[in-house]
Amino acid sequence: MNREATLTIDRDFTVAPIDPRLYGSFIEHLGRAVYDGIYCPDHPLADEQGFRRDVIDLVRELNVPIVRYPGGNFVSSFYWEDSVGPAEQRPRRLELAWRSLETNRIGVDEFAGWAKKSGAEVMMAVNLGTRGIADACNLLEYCNHPGGTKYSDMRIRNGHKAPHDIRVWCLGNEMDGPWQLGHKTMDEYGRLAAETGRAMKLIDPSIELVACGSSNGKMPTFPQWEATTLEHAYDSVDYISLHQYYGNAKGDSQDFLARCDDMDQFIRTVVATCDFAQAKKRGKKKIHLSFDEWNVWFHSKEDDDDRMANRPWQIAPPLLEDHYTFEDALLVAEMLITLMRHADRVKLACLAQLVNVIAPIMTEANGGAAWKQTIYYPFLLASRYGRGTALLPLLHAPKVRTSGHGDVDALVAVAVHNEAARELTLFAVNRDLNEELPLRATLRGFERYELTEWLAMESDDLKAENSALAQPVRPCAREGAAFEDGTLCARLRAASFNVLRLRENA
Ligand code: AHR
């Protein structure tokens, strides 16, 4: 049998223009994400506000357009007023979601400043766990209203004359989860989201609102939660959120790399549920998807459960500090490809998280370096070259047998056409752990395009990790891809992520 994959990429097989916010991320007041991660005034590289310049540089390199803040589970007991005003007067609080002491040294205003320095906009979450409509409205007034009212004047007194002008707002976090402070039933949440959203849009009609969907695709209330939430809140909101983390606790790497098929199915189901809600409402508005937490997360889980239960209250304890492997980077690449393949409905996505907590960027304590985890690189390549219009390739690939997902395609792929730059990029993962995959790609409508670069992430060791001292897992330039009779041919190594870049020959 001829064991090869064939792809047909046609200029007209368009999914949609990719919203740049697909390459968003997330910073929560959790562990060492904020304190020690982005903010570390004693560090030799700290700027005048105490933010680490080296971390800002890495975030800028990733070109993250939007960062969700301040949580996560944290937001459900967040009192935003405590986080603004003179720093020395801000109260300390027991932070209940992660059993930590919150100093409030960094708050709404400082984070808006950090985001600006990092080239990102803020995606703000409001507390619909232990608080409600009034507090959400007050925070919005504080952030976006020009002045002349109680909360906008409070912002001005705090030294921020110009509004922060925050466009995207999350109506709570994971309200379906029993772990969430102020956890709600779907009817309770749907009503609250509808009324909060309605009130917030009276203050600033230009904002976009994200209702909480399910905490993951395995929640017992999924997808009824989405249907009921939208039944109540369809008129008030613009997006519904999806969250999903995958792990390889069983150590079955071939099956682990099939998890992006679960992500694909999760997205399809949420799209169908949004369309069902729209049809039921006889509505004109399409509800889009905000995949605002996604990643691999499992390495740190048991440790963290124990630390959560047995830990004294402390400031910024190290939590959720997964050290990622090469195979984690492969799944992250597949998840990015899956998001691009759904660019017509997934308009926002946040790699969770950004620094120290299940993160692509890590920082060493005591003046140490910031360094790039394995998952930094697929995100970098997607964010750098995945701008433009997503094209869905017609794909025929050999199958790989898995223990939990049956026989799956060995190849996961998408193409992105950047018309302005006259570039075409093919993102392709060979997720077969044992077999090299010859690839033949027919490019229709790209006759004058030539291959300029083939970048690949490959390793003989699925468990290879990076550290502050060494970066063995990173992309390398590959040779050997070429056009044969008008077809682009390349041999993709077993377990590899490939970025084939083409440019129009002027
Ligand atoms: O990202 C870590 C946590 O995962 C977030 O706080 C929560 O929303 C999710 O369960």
Side-chain angles (χ1 to χ4, degrees), residues 26 28 30 72-73 98 173-174 179 243 245 293 297 320 352-353 358:
F26 174 32
E28 177 166 5
L30 194 184
N73 297 337
W98 302 105
N173 177 69
E174 295 189 350
W179 58 86
H243 290 182
Y245 299 96
E293 285 188 36
W297 173 15
L320 280 62
Q353 299 191 9
I358 43 174

Side-chain angles (χ1 to χ4, degrees), residues 32-56 105-106 110 114 316 355-356 363-370:
R32 298 191 308 122
V34 172
Y35 306 108
D36 246 23
I38 64 168
Y39 177 75
C40 193
D42 298 333
H43 195 275
L45 296 175
D47 68 10
E48 51 297 346
Q49 272 85 41
F51 291 124
R52 280 185 71 147
R53 286 198 186 86
D54 51 350
V55 172
I56 290 177
R105 176 60 192 82
I106 295 297
E110 288 84 10
W114 177 84
V355 184
N356 285 339
T363 67
E364 302 287 295
N366 302 324

Side-chain angles (χ1 to χ4, degrees), residues 74 152 155 182 189 195 218 231 352 413 418-419 423 432 456 482 486 492 498:
F74 171 84
S152 58
R155 182 197 69 239
Y189 174 69
E195 292 307 316
K218 290 267 175 334
E231 173 98 39
N418 186 333
E419 205 157 353
E423 284 185 2
D432 189 325
L492 311 185
N498 303 274

